[in-house]
Amino acid sequence: MRGLAAWKGALFTTAFFSIAGCNSESGGGGSSATPLPTVDTLFCSGGICTLDSGATINTAEARVVEAHLAQGNVIVKTSDSDVLTLLSPVRWSSNRSLTLQTDNDIQLFGGISASQGKLIIDNPGHDYQLRKPVNLSAGQNFRVNGEDFTVITSLGQPGSTTGADLQGISGNMSGNYALGSDIDASATSNWNSDAGFYPISTFGDVDPFTGKLDGLGHVIRSIRINRPTFSYIGLFAVLEDASIKHLALEDFQVTGKSDVGSFAGVAEGTTRIAQSCVVGGSVTAKDQSAGAYFGERLQDTEVTDSCILGTSIIANEMIGGMVGLESDGTLTVVKSYAFRLKLLDNDGDPNFIGFLAGGSNAEPPVVSHSLVNYQNASLVPSDVTGATTLRLIALGDLSNYQDASWDISTDPDSNSLWYLDQSYDHPAPAMLRMFDLDLTDFLYDS
């Protein structure tokens, strides 16, 4: 990596119930003074609740699950290998675990809110899908197919290495993390003598983050990083074989010398971004290589169902919507968009500017079912094969997304992945339904 060395700057013991699978804590609760509610589509016994074939967790089923969670751990499973769908929110405040178990996908469409307790996903080889945020308390309260995630709900303090808050991820660069709530990071503007948030890395060295970060439908807002003499600047300094999903970054103001991005200064190995967005804010490299996601990409990177909206990207050269400089491997972009970007050069000599990727020593991006739009007074980036270029007025046109085969609806009560809100005064683009974002400030210049 170019110049990398230059930048120095209570789980309780559980028994396992054989029918529940090795990823699940055993079900079971204490006696209740009053009979627990029942519903025909959900049979509960001994802390195991089984859904009828083809059934979903609607309001009545959710109330049954919540009542059992007040008594003990609960395992909800399907009677066959059906998709397990939660249409109604499930909420609990007891220190109990809820396990969702099936040999198929799990659809968390109604959301989860647990002020205590743990959520366990048990569906090896399959996916879990969000449409609303999952709210969990801090600690070891999220597990996915045997992998434990540390739930984070706070920003932390300057210099934190606790591994229990956002800044503190620097204390364990190979861990798995999830956000249990939105995080307001505006306090970082006054951190470290106004240098702001310290990019997540091993303090004093640029060790890569090699774990997973699942935002669980949450937003990190208003991080400030002002380190114009340092490279590898972003939320993370370097990602290596890492994954980020279900996360939105809003109004990030990130400044560095070179290799500057919102998610990371540099991505290497096979890095995956899924169902995640960068909204507003600015990324500035005083020298070169700036992108809304990454300043530089060294190997293969995959971006799926993700977006960039209204972000300013500034550098002397190598300026890209997603990636500033591609050094090796392939950037694969599927069903994603880059809208209302401001791609600006510092020195008046625009070089290597692109909708999705700026300077490239690698293969051209492989783009499919994706959409782009640029806003720039003087610079017109080169086109990207596989992406459709839209005018501003077309960002709110449902047919453009449908033509690209997106899972999208204008119905606020739908369970589509993307929501096209047509209540704004100006045409607004689609947004992932799981995020609580007001797009008003990102539609037109003031």
Side-chain angles (χ1 to χ4, degrees):
M1 186 182 302
R2 297 181 297 107
L4 184 59
W7 192 63
K8 303 283 184 182
L11 289 179
F12 48 87
T13 303
T14 59
F16 289 98
F17 190 71
S18 60
I19 195 173
C22 64
N23 183 39
S24 306
E25 294 180 355
S26 59
S31 60
S32 176
T34 58
L36 293 172
T38 60
V39 63
D40 290 342
T41 56
L42 185 68
F43 174 77
C44 295
S45 177
I48 298 178
C49 297
T50 305
L51 276 169
D52 280 351
S53 179
T56 61
I57 297 180
N58 291 299
T59 301
E61 289 83 3
R63 300 297 83 79
V64 171
V65 172
E66 291 169 350
H68 282 266
L69 280 166
Q71 303 297 316
N73 298 335
V74 173
I75 299 167
V76 175
K77 57 183 297 181
T78 56
S79 58
D80 297 310
S81 296
D82 292 331
V83 173
L84 199 167
T85 302
L86 281 74
L87 290 179
S88 180
V90 176
R91 307 179 180 94
W92 72 99
S93 58
S94 62
N95 189 23
R96 311 292 187 182
S97 67
L98 171 63
T99 298
L100 303 176
Q101 185 182 80
T102 184
D103 291 326
N104 209 319
D105 286 354
I106 292 174
Q107 299 175 332
L108 300 174
F109 290 173
I112 295 281
S113 290
S115 57
Q116 297 186 74
K118 176 187 290 189
L119 175 64
I120 299 172
I121 303 292
D122 189 1
N123 65 339
H126 298 279
D127 198 7
Y128 56 101
Q129 304 166 25
L130 306 186
R131 298 297 182 267
K132 292 184 179 179
V134 172
N135 302 310
L136 300 172
S137 59
Q140 297 289 318
N141 290 323
F142 186 51
R143 182 187 298 164
V144 180
N145 297 322
E147 287 189 294
D148 282 311
F149 286 67
T150 298
V151 177
I152 289 173
T153 59
S154 63
L155 174 64
Q157 297 296 321
S160 173
T161 58
T162 63
D165 50 62
L166 187 63
Q167 183 66 92
I169 293 175
S170 295
N172 181 6
M173 297 291 286
S174 61
N176 296 327
Y177 298 90
L179 297 188
S181 65
D182 289 357
I183 293 180
D184 179 359
S186 57
T188 57
S189 61
N190 298 318
W191 281 15
N192 299 310
S193 301
D194 298 331
F197 187 85
Y198 196 102
I200 295 171
S201 61
T202 301
F203 286 118
D205 205 347
V206 188
D207 289 336
F209 176 75
T210 59
K212 298 176 181 178
L213 176 59
D214 191 331
L216 292 179
H218 293 294
V219 182
I220 302 174
R221 294 183 167 90
S222 303
I223 270 187
R224 299 292 183 263
I225 303 176
N226 183 28
R227 299 175 182 271
T229 62
F230 293 92
S231 299
Y232 315 109
I233 299 296
L235 176 64
F236 294 90
V238 180
L239 297 174
E240 181 179 355
D241 295 321
S243 71
I244 294 176
K245 64 192 299 187
H246 306 141
L247 175 65
L249 308 181
E250 182 183 17
D251 187 30
F252 268 39
Q253 305 285 338
V254 183
T255 298
K257 181 180 179 181
S258 62
D259 292 337
V260 185
S262 292
F263 286 128
V266 173
E268 59 182 13
T270 300
T271 296
R272 295 178 172 87
I273 304 292
Q275 297 181 23
S276 297
C277 291
V278 172
V279 179
S282 65
V283 176
T284 302
K286 293 299 184 179
D287 190 353
Q288 64 181 22
S289 305
Y293 286 172
F294 313 114
E296 182 177 0
R297 182 186 62 76
L298 295 177
Q299 290 166 281
D300 291 343
T301 302
E302 300 173 5
V303 177
T304 58
D305 288 306
S306 296
C307 69
I308 307 165
L309 173 64
T311 303
S312 297
I313 305 166
I314 306 163
N316 289 348
E317 61 181 4
M318 300 175 186
I319 306 165
M322 290 185 178
V323 181
L325 171 63
E326 295 193 285
S327 295
D328 199 0
T330 302
L331 170 65
T332 302
V333 180
V334 181
K335 293 184 181 178
S336 300
Y337 72 68
F339 287 163
R340 294 192 53 75
L341 301 184
K342 297 181 182 179
L343 306 177
L344 307 172
D345 70 289
N346 282 324
D347 59 7
D349 183 19
N351 290 309
F352 308 110
I353 296 180
F355 277 127
L356 301 180
S360 178
N361 298 319
E363 295 296 321
V366 177
V367 183
S368 63
H369 307 287
S370 295
L371 308 170
V372 293
N373 160 273
Y374 73 92
Q375 178 190 2
N376 202 341
S378 60
L379 305 177
V380 180
S382 59
D383 203 355
V384 176
T385 302
T388 300
T389 303
L390 301 180
R391 296 175 300 133
L392 284 176
I393 195 67
L395 302 189
D397 187 340
L398 180 64
S399 64
N400 289 313
Y401 303 92
Q402 291 174 326
D403 289 345
S405 304
W406 287 30
D407 179 10
I408 188 169
S409 173
T410 58
D411 182 356
D413 297 321
S414 169
N415 289 312
S416 63
L417 177 62
W418 295 88
Y419 173 44
L420 187 62
D421 187 348
Q422 297 186 320
S423 67
Y424 289 101
D425 291 337
H426 301 294
M431 181 50 62
L432 289 163
R433 191 177 290 272
M434 70 188 79
F435 298 132
D436 180 15
L437 289 167
D438 184 350
L439 303 185
T440 302
D441 293 338
F442 312 107
L443 301 184
Y444 279 79
D445 291 337
S446 57

